[in-house]
Amino acid sequence: MAQLLVRFIRWRFWRPLLIALLFVVLAGLGSGIGFLVACLQDLPSLVSIEPRPSETTLVFDRHGALVAELHGVENRKPVRIEDVPRQVLDAFLAIEDARFYGHHGFDLEAIARATWAIATGGMFQGGSTITQQLAKNAFLTPSRQIKRKVQELIIAIELERQYTKDEIFEMYLNIIYFNHGAYGIQAASQVYFGKEVGELTLAEGALLAGITRWPEGYTPYRKPDSALGRRALVLNRMLSLGMISQSQYDAAINAPLELAGEKEQDYPAPYFVDYVLKYLLKHYDRDLIYKGGLRVYTSLDPAIQKAAEEGVAKILDPVFPLEPGKEQPECAAIVMDPHTGHIVAMVGGRSRTGKLELNRATQAYRQPGSAFKPIVVNTPALDLGYTTATVIDDRAFTWVQLDGTAWTPTNYDQRFRGLTIMRDAIARSANVYHTDLMLKIGPETGVSYAQRMGIESLVTKGRLNDVTPSLALGGITKGITPLELTRAYSVLANQGIKVDPIAVLRVEDKRGKILEENTPRREVVLSEQTAFLVTDLLRSAVDYGTGMRARLDRPVAGKTGTTNDDVDAWFVGYTADYVGAVWLGHDIPKSMVRVYGGMYPAIIWKHIMETAHKGLPVKQFPVPKNIVTGVNVCNKSGLLPGPLCPPANIVAEVFVRGTEPTLTCDVHKTVNVCGEHTDFLAGPGCASTLEKVVIARKVPWEPWESEYRHPDGRRELRVFIPEDSVLEAPAAVCPNHNPPLSPSGE
């Protein structure tokens, strides 16, 4: 009786555990079956299974036309297995799947070895057979999910059932990727050694076999030491398996690395496509880009792109010919639709030696010079209440900086023009005017407006930063890129609305599923009125100022920029349709000597934009509400003309309603001068006098002595004074009719 009781108690104790265990087993079995069903759902048809090669990613322009193929199949050249030397075949078997001819698609020993290495923290080892690698590369979208590994195993088993070992090995050799666009062993043989696969030596075959595990890490063109180390591993493996003799091993291990030389296959619009490729590499898996058959639709306009490339070459090559061993200035150009942010053309340099190299349009940070003035001075000043009629005295003045050093800003042409209106200051790119105005609004304000308009590279903290008056002249710590400056100018062209640059419009997978679609992101950062006023000022810079070489058959607003000693030269401009920037300079900054923004950069910009606007109707810049045009002012005072203002000083200006001047000019005055000697004030002895109109400054000027730089490089000391000082009242009384008193007072 006691035994029965014990049995009953034990059964009552274990029954829940057994039921729970049974439930877990059944649940696991159900989950496994469900997972297996999911794996089988999107497998390719196994009825007549045939491997397909990795699918090329295609890049299209804005019209849907094909621009480039990223590692496309054009460099896959099939070869028969009997044409591959036996030792080359053995090299692949030794390093990838030594038991290939003995298993049925998967190798349990290799899988166990790889699992154990991972579990014990040892070196990673691949567990995939050649058949599994063929299944992965030929049939499946690149992925590291468990589901894909199960699908890979299923396909491998089916491949083994339908094909012979030699057929599977041949397909593998023709589909595997070797970097540099080479798919298959025949293409790789030509890319690396410039020979047919049948001519490969043991050393060459071992090197190719070693590349396949990590094509980017073992390419002898980029990492020769890693490639040779991997070759040695393959040869050691072959020796240990008895595939080669000791003498063969010794000869191969000591064979020098003799490559055919890298020959990059370029694509049209190379810098634009590189920009797109870098975007894709940042957002997608590398295998998906190069093998997944993506369809990438971009904003590229092929006609404008061609004009940009031709313009750079046509205008610069005769002046700065590209010759081996001779350093010449580089160039970058970019064109964008300011309303959508679509980048329609991009040139990142004059010459190109390989893919994904330095793109000067997006990666080269350079000093913007005077091209920065509209962003950090004129725009914030107008937004804060200054007007296009604001007058500042263009004369020498010295500013003591925080570190105690003195700085005297000068103009590029080494002239001081005196009382100057904002329009003339921007047209002639007056440094003194804009530095003075920067001091009035504060460098902090200039920095904040630049950042608001899309400039992200300014340095605002630390001992060396950009919150200084030199910001007005584009003297900044890091520099900016042409793309950055183009984005900032697009705010002015787009009535105060900032849009982010876009090159990739849409990405689809190989089945047409949309992976991403980019639409313009708009942000209002300026008033329409401020954007229009700056635009109207910049039209003067092109109409009669430093940017005259950029004039088109339609309204153009733009600004030149030239840094100290002619190191960097810029032209940035826009119409109602497009905005663009052109930069010229050496990669390692150095003087180009008498090369400035209004010269070659402006000419290149014009060449590009003539094509960009071909067939487009002439558009005016839209005038927003509350803008008043045609208001006459005196350009020496910025006030309404008075009766003494000479006609030559009366100009029509543009204002936001309510900011027009209401006072009359107080700069032009009259003085009595000698009728015979009008350069002197009239005195009691002058028989005749005349009234002469003069200008009366509110702040007197001081002469400034400095070096003058001649065009031929000579320098001499000169005294600089404002050019309009000749319009001031004479300082002395006529000495001819009023002789000075003698020392005795007689």
Side-chain angles (χ1 to χ4, degrees), residues 232-250:
L233 180 64
V234 175
L235 292 170
N236 273 307
R237 181 72 174 150
M238 294 180 73
L239 180 64
S240 66
L241 291 172
M243 293 178 171
I244 56 175
S245 65
Q246 184 65 50
S247 61
Q248 289 175 314
Y249 170 84
D250 292 339

Side-chain angles (χ1 to χ4, degrees), residues 33 63 109 199 303 377 380 387 390 400 442 447 489 493 522 659 684 692 708 746:
I33 294 173
H63 307 301
E109 182 180 333
E199 302 171 319
V377 183
T387 71
T390 294
V400 179
V447 167
Y489 271 73
R522 297 181 172 89
T659 65
K692 182 178 182 180
Y708 174 78
E746 297 178 356

Side-chain angles (χ1 to χ4, degrees), residues 36 112 127 185 195 198 204 208 346 410 562 606 610 653 720:
L36 185 61
I185 192 171
K195 59 174 64 173
E204 292 165 346
L208 292 182
M346 180 184 292
T410 59
T562 309
K606 175 185 175 81
E610 283 178 335
E653 269 306 335
F720 294 89

